[in-house]
Amino acid sequence: MIRHSLLFALALTASSPLCALAQASHSPVSSTASFHLEPLSWWAGMHNPKLQLMLHSNALPANAAQLKVEIAGKDVVFEGIEQTDNPHYLFINLDLRQAKPQTFDIRILDGDKQLLQLPYTLAARVEDSRERQGFSNKDVIYLITPDRFANGNPSNDNQTDMLEHAAPENSDGRHGGDIEGIRQHLDYLAKLGVTQLWINPLLENNQAQYSYHGYAITNLYRVDSRFGSNQDYQRLVTEAKQRGLGVIKDVVLNHIGSNHWWLKDLPSSDWLNVPQQPNVTATQAAPTANFTSHRRTTVQDPYADTQDKSDFVDGWFVDSMPDLNQRNPKLATYLIQNSIWWVEYAGLSGIREDTYSYADKAFLAQWSKALMAEYPNFNIVGEEWTANPITVSYWQKGKINADGYSSDLPSLMDFPLYEKLLESLNEPEGWDTGFIKLYEMLANDVVYANPSQLVLFEGNHDTNRIYSLLKENLPLYQMALTYVLTAKRIPQLFYGTEVLMTSPTEGRHDGVVRSDFPGGFANNKVNDFSGKGLNAKQQQAQTFIRTLLNYRKHSAALQTGDLLHFVPQNGIYVQFRCAAKHAAEGNACYQADADKVMVIYNKNDQAQTLDLSRFNKVLAGNSYATSVFTENKFELNQSLVLPHAGVMLLELKPQ
């Protein structure tokens, strides 16, 4: 029996927390047996008491007529098993309504013969886990591509069980950034003034090439060992919270990596979407498939042909990313439980969901509803990459859609406003060009159920760097960053924007866009964390961002205030953000005693005089204003002189 126990332990997957417990098991399995049992663990006292375990093992018999499951847990109610057309999988349904924290055994028997004895843990939930606060308008999100941010532990750069090794000289290769690198620089991030960290996927991407970005996941329950461990991720979140920083997990529901362990033995013949091979069997790995059409409007289009809809949703993203069929109810449950598991395990404050509309839309409604039911104050932002606000608005919670579709997704990335921000700043001013395009885009907020909950960004891992897109014009850069950080939105920055990281401006250059953060890697001559080696413009940009971010932390007007803006004139665009001090109808900017911030965007290279009489209704009750950036004071009973192109951020002061 000792020999059997040892063989059983050797057969466990490396990521399984059951490894430590397996040696105590007396399961008579052969040396070739292996298994996955997921979720890896669960918690007592969850809002949804139902749990479906997925067991994969080649020890399961092809003929399951005599297969039995015995659950040895106290008050753990066994509700039966489900199977697919692949006999190597077993789905075990449990009701945990009355169960308390415990570790119990799951016994799998073929008649009287025990095949597997698996210990399973129900942990105690962290106090107030259900009431956790998700990211909100009070926050500023900072996006990190972990492989490119900082290498805190060079010893994990290469792993014997990982196909791709570090290649720092290759812009598309792995560079060695990791969780420890982020952890070591939490103080920098806190002092910069950001309050949430969105980290590109950290889960295992055991792909032969181009694995650094994280979106071809090969194990949905394991942090990639080149980034660290599951426990390292937990520690990062804990230490981030101690500095006032939340962590947002990047989740991928649409696809997996082509080297995911499922591909060696698919759970069922309909686990993947394979448009031209409907008869693919569970033993086929990486079948050839059509690629998505990327025609995202077909999902909402009342006139779209069913094949056109399928070509978008069911097509593969790329050949290394098999497309998941979320219409399979077992897969749907698996993905929902996986998202909840990570929120609970790591203590997350949010999820960013990748390629949102590419997954089955009925499943997406089910997924978002399940997460928000489990965590009512949580937040999720979906990626719907389009410049059309109508297309984006379809997915937000509260939107009344003509086809009756209802979502529980609180937030989406505001690509339409991002695109218009770049366009308006790069264009010369005219009747229908420049700032007026940005002004008029905000009028489209009427199509959203809750526009203030959208996430507005200056860039991300898929867009070229904003400083380059604005032709390395520092005043335009400052206007763009101020707009993002003062908009009636949830703002998001991309790592390195604060020190003017650059990229090409045309086409996709992902590896260059996601260049190493200077100072995060050995032998860097410039260290953005300490400021060593930064040129004058970089120092100016970093100080500018730090000043604005830390001011925003204490400004009710910028966090939750109303927005009022005026039609741009002569290359000048004026906005106000105002927070009421008492309940009243109408825009708080018309209340004399409201907290108010005035933002003036000026494209003119020559000095301009701004007549303030146009804003009298807002300025009433305020005698002067103080510049957030320079601390200079300005009287409000006379015109303002704008000496050059740039932005002024003024805090209004009462008489």
Side-chain angles (χ1 to χ4, degrees):
M1 298 301 290
I2 294 176
R3 178 175 179 271
H4 285 152
S5 296
L6 177 60
L7 293 173
F8 185 65
L10 292 173
L12 294 173
T13 58
S15 63
S16 175
L18 300 175
C19 288
L21 298 172
Q23 294 179 11
S25 170
H26 300 289
S27 177
V29 294
S30 71
S31 60
T32 60
S34 64
F35 78 88
H36 292 86
L37 182 64
E38 296 173 342
L40 302 182
S41 59
W42 205 247
W43 294 265
M46 299 296 280
H47 175 71
N48 180 0
K50 305 290 185 176
L51 178 66
Q52 184 174 84
L53 301 176
M54 183 182 76
L55 172 63
H56 171 253
S57 174
N58 57 13
L60 295 174
N63 183 356
Q66 298 186 83
L67 197 64
K68 294 187 295 185
V69 175
E70 293 182 354
I71 304 295
K74 178 177 172 53
D75 295 324
V76 176
V77 179
F78 172 58
E79 294 193 325
I81 60 173
E82 297 179 42
Q83 295 176 288
T84 68
D85 49 11
N86 184 343
H88 297 156
Y89 285 84
L90 190 66
F91 294 82
I92 304 168
N93 296 319
L94 304 176
D95 188 323
L96 309 175
R97 198 178 314 269
Q98 303 299 325
K100 299 293 189 288
Q102 61 187 289
T103 296
F104 59 91
D105 282 341
I106 301 172
R107 298 177 65 221
I108 312 297
L109 302 98
D110 185 10
D112 295 329
K113 177 185 177 183
Q114 180 172 294
L115 302 176
L116 297 168
Q117 181 174 324
L118 312 175
Y120 197 79
T121 297
L122 287 181
R125 297 187 75 179
V126 174
E127 186 178 359
D128 297 328
S129 172
R130 176 167 165 75
E131 304 305 321
R132 71 182 64 239
Q133 179 60 55
F135 64 89
S136 71
N137 296 91
K138 296 180 179 180
D139 290 306
V140 175
I141 301 169
Y142 188 88
L143 167 59
I144 292 173
T145 301
D147 182 65
R148 306 301 174 86
F149 188 65
N151 189 348
N153 180 14
S155 68
N156 66 18
D157 291 358
N158 295 304
Q159 300 287 320
T160 56
D161 60 339
M162 294 288 110
L163 296 175
E164 187 175 19
H165 289 176
E169 72 288 348
N170 180 0
S171 65
D172 293 329
R174 299 193 72 95
H175 291 189
D178 50 25
I179 291 173
E180 178 63 17
I182 300 172
R183 192 192 69 80
Q184 291 175 3
H185 295 99
L186 289 174
D187 286 338
Y188 166 82
L189 295 166
K191 291 176 182 177
L192 184 65
V194 299
T195 58
Q196 297 282 342
L197 306 181
W198 159 26
I199 306 172
N200 286 146
L202 288 164
L203 299 186
E204 181 190 276
N205 270 235
N206 196 8
Q207 299 285 119
Q209 59 186 1
Y210 207 61
S211 67
Y212 78 91
H213 57 68
Y215 289 95
I217 297 170
T218 55
N219 189 321
L220 287 159
Y221 280 96
R222 183 190 186 194
V223 166
D224 195 296
S225 55
R226 291 161 294 189
F227 289 143
S229 66
N230 288 14
Q231 293 74 25
D232 291 331
Y233 187 41
Q234 274 187 322
R235 181 187 179 195
L236 173 67
V237 176
T238 298
E239 295 191 12
K241 285 180 181 178
Q242 293 169 355
R243 293 164 174 81
L245 301 167
V247 175
I248 299 168
K249 186 176 185 293
D250 209 333
V251 168
V252 187
L253 300 173
N254 178 66
H255 52 264
I256 52 175
S258 57
N259 203 39
H260 191 289
W261 63 267
W262 281 337
L263 270 292
K264 299 178 178 66
D265 192 18
L266 282 174
S268 67
S269 58
D270 63 347
W271 205 252
L272 301 179
N273 287 315
V274 190
Q276 290 189 332
Q277 295 192 13
N279 296 319
V280 61
T281 68
T283 58
Q284 287 180 286
T288 303
N290 282 351
F291 298 120
T292 176
S293 67
H294 298 288
R295 299 297 182 186
R296 51 184 39 80
T297 59
T298 56
V299 175
Q300 310 168 18
D301 186 351
Y303 314 113
D305 176 67
T306 54
Q307 185 59 52
D308 287 338
K309 293 182 180 183
S310 177
D311 288 345
F312 168 59
V313 174
D314 295 346
W316 289 26
F317 211 73
V318 294
D319 56 5
S320 61
M321 295 179 179
D323 198 70
L324 295 173
N325 174 24
Q326 303 87 7
R327 291 180 293 273
N328 181 306
K330 295 178 181 61
L331 174 57
T333 297
Y334 180 97
L335 294 172
I336 290 169
Q337 291 181 163
N338 179 257
S339 295
I340 291 173
W341 190 89
W342 280 108
V343 174
E344 195 74 20
Y345 173 83
L348 304 175
S349 61
I351 283 175
R352 179 266 185 183
E353 206 290 309
D354 181 67
T355 55
Y356 191 79
S357 62
Y358 287 72
D360 178 70
K361 72 180 193 178
F363 161 76
L364 289 171
Q366 180 187 3
W367 175 81
S368 60
K369 183 176 182 179
L371 264 78
M372 296 309 296
E374 196 66 60
Y375 307 103
N377 302 318
F378 197 60
N379 210 344
I380 310 169
V381 56
E383 179 198 32
E384 173 61 298
W385 192 343
T386 175
N388 186 343
I390 295 175
T391 305
V392 174
S393 70
Y394 180 84
W395 300 103
Q396 192 179 30
K397 179 181 180 179
K399 177 66 183 292
I400 300 175
N401 292 305
D403 63 359
Y405 184 75
S406 179
S407 170
D408 274 79
L409 182 69
S411 178
L412 289 112
M413 306 302 296
D414 196 347
F415 279 92
L417 196 55
Y418 160 77
E419 298 281 358
K420 203 58 66 176
L421 175 63
L422 291 175
E423 189 177 338
S424 67
L425 288 174
N426 276 318
E427 284 183 348
E429 288 298 300
W431 170 255
D432 57 357
T433 59
F435 279 141
I436 191 63
K437 287 188 174 180
L438 189 57
Y439 172 88
E440 291 182 345
M441 176 55 76
L442 279 182
N444 288 313
D445 275 9
V446 296
V447 307
Y448 295 111
N450 197 345
S452 70
Q453 294 305 300
L454 301 177
V455 173
L456 179 61
F457 53 96
E458 46 75 26
N460 63 35
H461 57 290
D462 290 324
T463 67
N464 289 320
R465 291 281 179 173
I466 193 166
Y467 187 54
S468 297
L469 292 173
L470 295 176
K471 304 176 180 63
E472 300 192 11
N473 182 310
L474 191 59
L476 290 180
Y477 161 90
Q478 291 176 333
M479 281 190 264
L481 270 293
T482 302
Y483 189 89
V484 169
L485 293 168
T486 63
K488 193 174 174 60
R489 295 290 195 269
I490 301 171
Q492 176 247 298
L493 305 179
F494 188 29
Y495 80 95
T497 292
E498 72 272 23
V499 288
L500 306 180
M501 286 181 66
T502 59
S503 74
T505 58
E506 300 292 336
R508 290 290 295 258
H509 304 273
D510 291 345
V512 179
V513 166
R514 308 161 190 167
S515 293
D516 295 350
F517 190 89
F521 298 81
N523 303 318
N524 286 161
K525 294 181 179 179
V526 176
N527 189 327
D528 292 347
F529 295 117
S530 67
K532 177 184 176 182
L534 294 181
N535 62 37
K537 284 189 175 181
Q538 290 174 317
Q539 291 176 359
Q540 186 178 350
Q542 193 176 47
T543 299
F544 181 89
I545 296 299
R546 185 182 293 117
T547 300
L548 180 48
L549 287 176
N550 282 286
Y551 174 78
R552 193 184 186 280
K553 280 185 177 181
H554 307 288
S555 172
L558 294 184
Q559 290 181 1
T560 59
D562 291 339
L563 168 67
L564 184 70
H565 66 160
F566 291 77
V567 174
Q569 294 180 355
N570 305 317
I572 300 172
Y573 181 22
V574 176
Q575 292 189 334
F576 290 87
R577 293 293 307 280
C578 312
K581 292 183 177 179
H582 55 85
E585 293 184 3
N587 194 305
C589 292
Y590 295 123
Q591 298 178 24
D593 63 345
D595 292 327
K596 300 177 184 179
V597 172
M598 182 180 188
V599 193
I600 306 170
Y601 302 97
N602 174 29
K603 274 193 186 175
N604 299 282
D605 291 329
Q606 303 300 318
Q608 299 290 312
T609 299
L610 180 64
D611 183 358
L612 297 181
S613 63
R614 185 183 180 202
F615 317 111
N616 279 344
K617 291 181 181 178
V618 183
L619 299 178
N622 297 276
S623 57
Y624 69 98
T626 301
S627 169
V628 170
F629 298 118
T630 67
E631 298 185 357
N632 292 336
K633 292 184 178 181
F634 300 90
E635 298 293 332
L636 297 178
N637 58 1
Q638 57 191 15
S639 298
L640 272 182
V641 176
L642 310 179
H644 50 70
V647 60
M648 294 181 72
L649 184 62
L650 304 177
E651 182 180 285
L652 304 190
K653 300 294 184 178
Q655 294 177 346

